[in-house]
Structures are given as C-alpha cells and as structure tokens.
Amino acid sequence: MADTVIEFKSVNKWFGKAHVLRDITLAVKAGEVVVVCGPSGSGKSTLIRCVNALEPIQGGELVVLGESLTRPGVNLSALRARVGMVFQSFNLFPHMTVLENIMLAPVRVRGLSEADASRVARALLERVRIPDKAENYPATLSGGQQQRVAIARALAMQPKIMLFDEPTSALDPEMINEVLDVMTDLARDGMTMMVVTHEMGFARRVAHRMVFVDGGRVVEEAPPEQFFAAAKSERAREFLSKILSH
Amino acid sequence: MRYAFHWEVLWSGQSGRWLLQGLATTVELSALGWVLAAALGIVSGAMRTVPWRPLRALATVYVEFFRNVPLLVWMFFWYFGVPPLLPEAIREWLFRHGAEFWAGTFALGVYHGARMSEVIRGGIQAIPRTQFEAAVAMGLTTFQAYRLVIVPIALRLSIPPATNESLNLLKNSSVALTISVAELTFQTRQIEAYTARALEALTAGTVIYLVLCVGIAAIMARVEHRFAIPGLIARGG
Ligand SMILES: Nc1ncnc2c1ncn2[C@@H]1O[C@H](COP(=O)(O)OP(=O)(O)OP(=O)(O)O)[C@@H](O)[C@H]1O
Ligand SMILES: [Mg+2]
C-alpha cells in the first residue's frame, strides 16, 4: 500500500466571512492522480492552493509529505520546494529567458551549480518537447509553449507532488493537447498529481480518482469510470450534464 | 535700454574655477544622495508590499515622515540638529571634513529615498500577485522572491518615474546652499556677488543644470531600452 502524501483532516477555510472550504477530508497516495472538478467558485483552486500553503487554513489539519502545515515553525519554503505548482496563467518570469526561469529555483533553493542546473533545464525542455526555446523570453512563446515551460520549471525541483490549477483554461483549443500530453506522460511516470481541470477526456484517461467539489465541500469521490457513468449525487450529475454537453 | 551682456565675467578672475568647483560639488552631492535614495527607496518600497505587517508599518512611517517635511527643514536638521547628538570625536572629525556636505547628502538621500520608495512601490504593485506566488511556490523564501523576481521586474517598470525623481534630486541639491555647501547655485551667486552680473551668472548655472539633466535623461533612456522586458509595450528611445 502506497504512502499517503497529502491528507486533509476536516480542513476549514474562510476568506473573511466567506466559508470556502468546509470540513474537507481527503487523502492522496503517492503516485495517485486526482482530478478535482466542480462548478465555478466551489473552492477547487483554494483546495489545491492549501496543499502548498499558498492559502493558510483556519481549521482542521493538513499533512503534506509528512509535514503538518499548521505546526508552528513549519518551514513552508522547504515544503514548497518539494511540491510543484502550475498555474492557469503560466506565471513565467518575463524578464528571464526560458532557461533562466527553469534554472532559478534549482540554483537558489537546491544549490545546484549553474552548469548542472542548465543541464537539468535542457533535459526538461527536451521532455516537454521544446528543446529549441531555451534562450527565448516567455513573451515570444505561444501559450501552450509557455505552459510547458512552466511545467518544466516546476519539475526542475524534482517535486514529489505536482499541483495543476486549470493548466489549459487559458489556452487556445489547438494548444490544449500539447499540454495535456505532457501531463499524461508525467502521470505515466508515476508522479503524484492533483489537477483542477474541466478536461474530462483527460480525467477519464489519466485520473485514478475524481473529486467533485461543490459549495466548499467534497461532495463525491469516485474512480472516473464510476463517476462519469453513474455519479451518485444529484449535484455531480447536473454538473456533468452541463460540462459534457458541449 | 538694452542690457549689455558681459559673458567674459564667467571665465575672467575666479569665476571659471568657481563654476567648475560648483559643478563638481553638485555632481558629488547628487550622486551620493542618489545612491542613498535608491537604496532606501528600493528597500522601503519593497517593505511596503510584503506580507508582514510590522515591516510594512515601519516603511510607511519612514515614507510619510520624510516626504512630508520640506527638504529645507531636513537640511537644517542634519546640519544643525544632528551633530550635537554625536560623540565629541565624531563631531570634531565631521566639522573638519565638510560637515555641511555630509548633512546635505543625508538630507537629499533620506528625503528623496522616501519619494523613491513610492515609485518602487508603484512598480511592485503593477506586478500580478501570481508572479510572487509562482516564485514562493517553487521554494524561494519571501526575501528571495523579492530579490530575484519582484524587485528586478519592479525596477524595470519604474525607470521612467525614477528618472523623473532623480532629476528632482539633482535640482534639489541646490537647496544645500542654505547650509553653505559650495555647490553650483552657491557658486553662481558668488560670481554674481563679485561681478554684479546676475544674468550671466544665472545663465551659466541654468545651462549647466540643463545639460546635466538632459544627460541623465538620455542615459536613463538607454538603460530603459537595454533592460526593457520583452513582451511589454515597447517604449520610446
Ligand atoms: N483571495 C480571496 N479573497 C476572498 N475570497 C476569495 C478569494 N479567493 C477565492 N475567494 C472566494 O472563495 C470561493 C472559492 O474560490 P475558488 O477560486 O477556490 O473557486 P474555484 O472553484 O477555483 O472557481 P473557478 O472554477 O472559477 O476557478 C469563491 O466564492 C471565491 O469568490
Ligand atoms: Mg479556480
């Protein structure tokens, strides 16, 4: 039985008075690919942003890679170095080249030499299938290429977990697959992944488990075959009918 | 009646030397003041945006305190107010080594640092928050995220207003004449007093300030061009 690497224990989160995560209890095992879905504003982004402590929680406990995020004195930077994150808006640093973007954290956080970091970075560009863009600035790349660089940048830290928050939502349709393909490869290689996405084809093919969130609660958890064929909750069926109709 | 210009007063007698000395002092005073202002501005401007309230409060107090009191008052403060607070030995040393110059440098640096701080803060606040999140999400500390990502971007965005502020600093260095720093304006007034040719002396001072300012603006335009962030709206130059 694989280890649990992310464990939400009755996690609660408020933004001011808004109660956006309600008693979330959820465990993710090493090597598992979990796709989080649900209506807009249901708390999906907040949920995965809690995993690398971009959002602090106000109730319950969240344990990631054996570290309790609520423990006083916890070293969040050290934890984040082991958890990669890919954002909807790519967030490459515009004043650095692709190579510099990828090398930054390995050099500054892991302490790699420039030469080693550059070798790692080039190998990763190979893996995300844009080896020839190393010297480009982000602004000169297509959205799909930028997102693949963002994935390479996260992988350069050799993370144990990868978080994706709608990684293809800002992309033109013809670029979505090039990003999903890279993510699929990653999942096949055994990466632990939590993915917020509306790409249900990807979810069907790659996810081990679907987590349906609504109103800040995990309403339903199921393997994709079961979730798509016969979701138990009315809310999930309604959501699926909307999202799968087009 | 037509005014008869006598430009030769500018290079006859002592005048030429005075002008050059004034120019040199103005450049030194402004350059040192600028370094201080830039350092204080970057540090305090960044501090005003960090996710830690005590640091933000400290920087806010600095900015509001120093930019809301006239520069002239700060000149007097650093020249007349501070030395009596210093130990005897340091005070002696200062007065033997141009205390008025150092007081002027501090007044300029600290005052314009507070104004530069707002320029830098504006630059930082123009950066999407998600850039900071991406930086810390890969394991950088908040300090590293600022030093390696946020501040370098903000500096590039801040070059036009920072240039403006730098020119203000240069021009404001003339206020140091009130604590008898022998800078350019001080020297033009001296020439005027000795030659009674006010118009010629002031013209000389004006032209020198103008040349300095245009020169700085030209250099900053090149810096801006050199460090422009690809993909942002291309600026002139
Ligand atoms: N920084 C914030 N401050 C206040 N409220 C917030 C903040 N971020 C999110 N919220 C609120 O929390 C709730 C959950 O937001 P979240 O972004 O997690 O939803 P989501 O499921 O990711 O939605 P979407 O599909 O639109 O991305 C929403 O009601 C949102 O308005
Ligand atoms: Mg979201």
Side-chain angles (χ1 to χ4, degrees), chain A residues 135-148:
Chain A
E135 317 301 335
N136 284 48
Y137 281 89
T140 65
L141 303 184
S142 73
Q145 291 170 334
Q146 289 191 51
Q147 194 60 299
R148 284 183 283 152

Side-chain angles (χ1 to χ4, degrees), chain B residues 131-206:
Chain B
Q131 287 276 311
F132 174 74
E133 291 179 345
V136 296
M138 51 204 224
L140 298 179
T141 62
T142 299
F143 180 73
Q144 284 178 315
Y146 267 80
R147 186 165 65 84
L148 301 168
V149 178
I150 302 301
V151 169
I153 297 175
L155 287 180
R156 286 162 166 86
L157 299 177
S158 306
I159 292 173
T163 302
N164 203 24
E165 200 48 44
S166 305
L167 299 181
N168 281 341
L169 186 153
L170 177 81
K171 289 177 285 181
N172 275 345
S173 68
S174 61
V175 177
L177 78 83
T178 57
I179 54 172
S180 50
V181 176
E183 48 67 68
L184 187 56
T185 308
F186 180 99
Q187 298 291 19
T188 57
R189 298 200 53 200
Q190 178 157 308
I191 294 170
E192 178 199 328
Y194 271 74
T195 63
R197 308 301 307 189
L199 208 48
E200 287 84 344
L202 285 172
T203 305
T206 306

Side-chain angles (χ1 to χ4, degrees), chain A residues 102 106 110 112 115-125 155-156 158:
Chain A
I102 302 175
R110 282 174 61 206
L112 257 59
D116 287 345
S118 160
R119 212 167 306 126
V120 168
R122 286 182 192 280
L124 283 166
L125 283 175
L155 292 177
Q158 302 186 336

Side-chain angles (χ1 to χ4, degrees), chain B residues 3 10 27 70 77 82 91 110 115 140 172 174-175 186 214 223:
Chain B
Y3 183 85
L10 294 178
V27 169
F77 171 78
V82 172
R91 191 164 66 233
V110 175
R115 298 174 50 101
L140 298 179
N172 275 345
S174 61
V175 177
F186 180 99
V214 170
V223 171

